[in-house]
Amino acid sequence: MDLEKKRIRPRRSGWLSSKEKRAGVSRTYYEVGVAAMDAGDLHKAQRWLQRADTIYSADDNIYDKVGEKLMDDCSDRIGRLEYEDGLAGQNIPGVVDLIVFEKYRRKKIATMLLDAAENIAKQHCNKIYLDVCLNSDYGPAQRFYIKRGYIPDGKGVYYKEKVCETDAVCRNDDELTLCLAKEL
């Protein structure tokens, strides 16, 4: 009974539904990606556009709220970036931003998604890669990938998509990553 009362509660000024929040976040990610693409930072653009695409793809209601034109432009840009950054030329597929919303974690969803990605990659080559952030927020993801057989590529850590040289100054944020690869 209490739950039903909460559902029909009138909207308060400034209150957004989680659907509206996700739509807003996805639009912001898209805009950051477009700005990075316009500035020539193709790796950053790909990261943010993939994040926007992940949110759009997760829920048809978000797709409807954001709009078909925006979504189509996002997909088109991702396709161009994948071609421009050389990944397609190397014929090594990569997983970009495997994200499971918090309330759905620990239900084997990431396992199923990665199984599917690996099966698709196996049809095209014998290797797959992904990048994982190094800060403690990503500890569970780091352990998950290692258990799945992913190992570092041997180049060290990357900061803003470039290999960090010895004694390089970098910041432990979402731009500090380790590239992991797996033979399929």
Side-chain angles (χ1 to χ4, degrees):
M1 190 74 163
D2 288 342
L3 290 176
E4 289 177 33
K5 287 180 185 175
K6 287 183 181 179
R7 281 190 209 137
I8 60 172
R9 178 179 61 198
R11 289 183 139 193
R12 287 178 263 150
S13 177
W15 182 84
L16 294 174
S17 71
S18 61
K19 185 185 334 176
E20 289 168 319
K21 288 177 187 174
R22 287 194 305 269
V25 167
S26 63
R27 269 193 210 96
T28 301
Y29 286 174
Y30 166 80
E31 290 166 4
V32 171
V34 169
M37 194 170 182
D38 291 344
D41 190 343
L42 303 183
H43 294 290
K44 185 176 182 181
Q46 185 175 24
R47 174 177 290 171
W48 289 103
L49 290 169
Q50 287 285 0
R51 287 176 179 172
D53 185 59
T54 299
I55 294 172
Y56 299 145
S57 303
D59 187 341
D60 287 339
N61 294 321
I62 302 301
Y63 179 87
D64 294 341
K65 206 155 202 32
V66 171
E68 186 175 346
K69 184 177 178 186
L70 189 79
M71 181 59 192
D72 288 345
D73 183 61
C74 185
S75 295
D76 179 58
R77 286 173 181 271
I78 290 169
R80 283 186 283 156
L81 288 168
E82 287 173 350
Y83 179 77
E84 289 173 13
D85 76 0
L87 293 178
Q90 294 177 26
N91 201 27
I92 301 172
V95 176
V96 178
D97 288 337
L98 175 64
I99 300 169
V100 177
F101 291 120
E102 195 166 336
K103 71 179 185 176
Y104 298 107
R105 292 181 185 159
R106 309 203 59 77
K107 297 180 182 191
K108 304 285 185 197
I109 294 171
T111 298
M112 291 185 288
L113 289 170
L114 201 51
D115 284 344
E118 289 172 359
N119 286 332
I120 293 167
K122 201 181 294 187
Q123 296 170 14
H124 302 282
C125 73
N126 63 352
K127 193 175 196 176
I128 188 170
Y129 82 95
L130 53 82
D131 293 327
V132 65
C133 295
L134 295 179
N135 64 56
S136 61
D137 292 343
Y138 294 88
Q142 296 162 5
R143 288 189 299 277
F144 172 69
Y145 298 136
I146 297 299
K147 286 179 185 176
R148 296 276 310 208
Y150 286 81
I151 59 171
D153 69 353
K155 294 181 182 175
V157 297
Y158 293 74
Y159 188 67
K160 295 187 177 182
E161 306 293 334
K162 294 184 178 148
V163 175
C164 272
E165 300 298 326
T166 304
D167 297 326
V169 176
C170 59
R171 189 171 162 199
N172 192 6
D173 58 15
D174 285 355
E175 298 292 330
L176 184 65
T177 61
L178 184 65
C179 181
L180 303 175
K182 178 179 179 179
E183 297 290 330
L184 299 172

